Amino acid sequence: MLRTMLAGALGWMAAAMPLPAFAQAPNQAQSNASGVPLFWDPQRRLERPDTTALRNLRIITDDEYPPFGFTTADGQLTGFNVDLARAICDELKVSCTIQARRFDTILDTLDKNEADAAIASIAITPRNLARADFTQPYYRTPARFVTRTGTVLDDPRPETLAGKVIGVQARTAHEAYLQKFFSAAEIKSYDSALALRSALKRDEVPVIFGDGVSLALWLNGSDAEGCCAFRGGPFLESSYFGEGVGIAVKRDNAPMRRILDFALARLAQRGVYAELYLKYFPIGFF
């Protein structure tokens, strides 16, 4: 889909930028005991912004990106983004209108003031920041290593993988990352994510490296047949894998952005965010 192609292109462009040297430990986000990523300080005291004039939130999303947004067989709009939008409205105690729009029209809809916010897995990139403002990230897409379940690989690092074969999808930020930091390994590239995962299942390669979200969904699905598991990570180098995904609002709408940042932090503190994450990602991507 277009979103996937754009993400791959952006990742490849980012990989060409000047980069810091590989650290002794992966660039990791904090997570709690359940593996739920923590993007908000749980100890921070939050000041509720003024919401007296807010009666209804008009939120747009898209319905072609399961499990983040999709339409059920009976026509109900659902998914991680949709449930998060409803939780935000509950937290703010306001009514909520959630509508699906074609993904490539979402930022235009905000710009025309036809919606207050977009919760649609929109990456926080320089290009998107030129068109909209964003809250803090509510999730990121880390890179992860995956092996077959019987493989021992507790700490995938350049030195532990030196001389070993690593599978990766060609022409992606993940391939560029391996070429930069895991150059002592034998990197074997595949034309598609499907071909890469199939090679691991067939034991053609001992370990693969790729997008943690897609891999988590595969590991939790029937296609993987319980073959494989995450090892090490997550890897979150922003120059390769982006700054994350935020809620988009119209440019210069600082009051709305602050309200949504407050709601997200409150949902994290109350455990609501964790419940949604575990509901849709029983095998988490962190």
Side-chain angles (χ1 to χ4, degrees):
M1 90 174 35
L2 178 61
R3 184 196 314 244
T4 303
M5 291 189 291
L6 287 174
L10 288 169
W12 178 254
M13 290 163 57
M17 301 189 324
L19 299 164
F22 186 83
Q24 288 301 306
N27 178 13
Q28 297 185 26
Q30 291 182 318
S31 60
N32 64 20
S34 299
V36 177
L38 300 177
F39 299 109
W40 306 273
D41 181 358
Q43 305 303 321
R44 180 185 174 189
R45 183 175 178 179
L46 300 172
E47 293 187 13
R48 185 182 181 92
D50 183 9
T51 59
T52 53
L54 189 62
R55 295 289 180 267
N56 178 66
L57 262 179
R58 301 170 300 162
I59 298 175
I60 51 176
T61 187
D62 77 313
D63 60 357
E64 296 183 344
Y65 193 41
F68 293 94
F70 59 99
T71 302
T72 62
D74 59 358
Q76 296 297 310
L77 184 63
T78 190
F80 178 78
N81 288 331
V82 178
D83 282 2
L84 182 63
R86 293 185 177 122
I88 286 171
C89 293
D90 288 344
E91 177 63 42
L92 296 172
K93 296 180 171 54
V94 297
S95 62
C96 205
T97 302
I98 305 174
Q99 294 183 336
R101 298 292 179 94
R102 204 175 70 224
F103 184 75
D104 61 357
T105 69
I106 283 177
L107 294 184
D108 286 335
T109 302
L110 284 179
D111 196 48
K112 294 174 184 176
N113 205 33
E114 294 175 355
D116 299 309
I119 307 180
S121 296
I122 304 173
I124 304 172
T125 65
R127 183 173 182 177
N128 288 337
L129 283 166
R131 302 192 58 197
D133 288 344
F134 286 84
T135 63
Q136 286 185 243
Y138 65 92
Y139 77 85
R140 295 185 67 178
T141 54
R144 298 293 305 268
F145 284 101
V146 175
T147 71
R148 294 181 63 84
T149 51
T151 303
V152 177
L153 182 63
D154 295 329
D155 188 18
R157 305 172 57 79
E159 56 269 28
T160 59
L161 287 172
K164 294 183 170 28
V165 179
I166 307 175
V168 69
Q169 186 175 347
R171 299 174 296 279
T172 62
H174 304 93
E175 181 185 53
Y177 188 84
L178 291 179
Q179 290 170 343
K180 176 72 174 181
F181 297 119
F182 289 78
S183 57
E186 180 184 340
I187 300 168
K188 187 169 184 178
S189 300
Y190 292 84
D191 286 336
S192 69
L194 177 60
L196 175 66
R197 297 191 297 259
S198 297
L200 180 64
K201 282 185 66 177
R202 295 194 306 269
D203 207 16
E204 183 179 308
V205 290
V207 57
I208 64 174
F209 187 66
D211 171 67
V213 176
S214 299
L215 287 169
L217 297 175
W218 174 63
L219 292 173
N220 191 54
S222 58
D223 289 347
E225 299 178 320
C227 72
C228 309
F230 281 131
R231 305 294 185 213
F235 292 80
L236 289 163
E237 175 52 61
S238 59
S239 296
Y240 285 88
F241 311 124
E243 299 288 349
V245 165
I247 301 175
V249 301
K250 188 176 181 179
R251 284 291 303 273
D252 301 321
N253 191 350
M256 179 59 66
R257 178 175 51 78
R258 284 193 292 268
I259 287 170
L260 295 171
D261 269 325
F262 166 81
L264 286 170
R266 281 287 296 153
L267 293 176
Q269 286 185 344
R270 296 198 299 107
V272 176
Y273 178 88
E275 290 176 6
L276 293 178
Y277 180 85
L278 294 172
K279 172 184 175 181
Y280 286 99
F281 309 104
I283 295 179
F285 43 88
F286 273 80

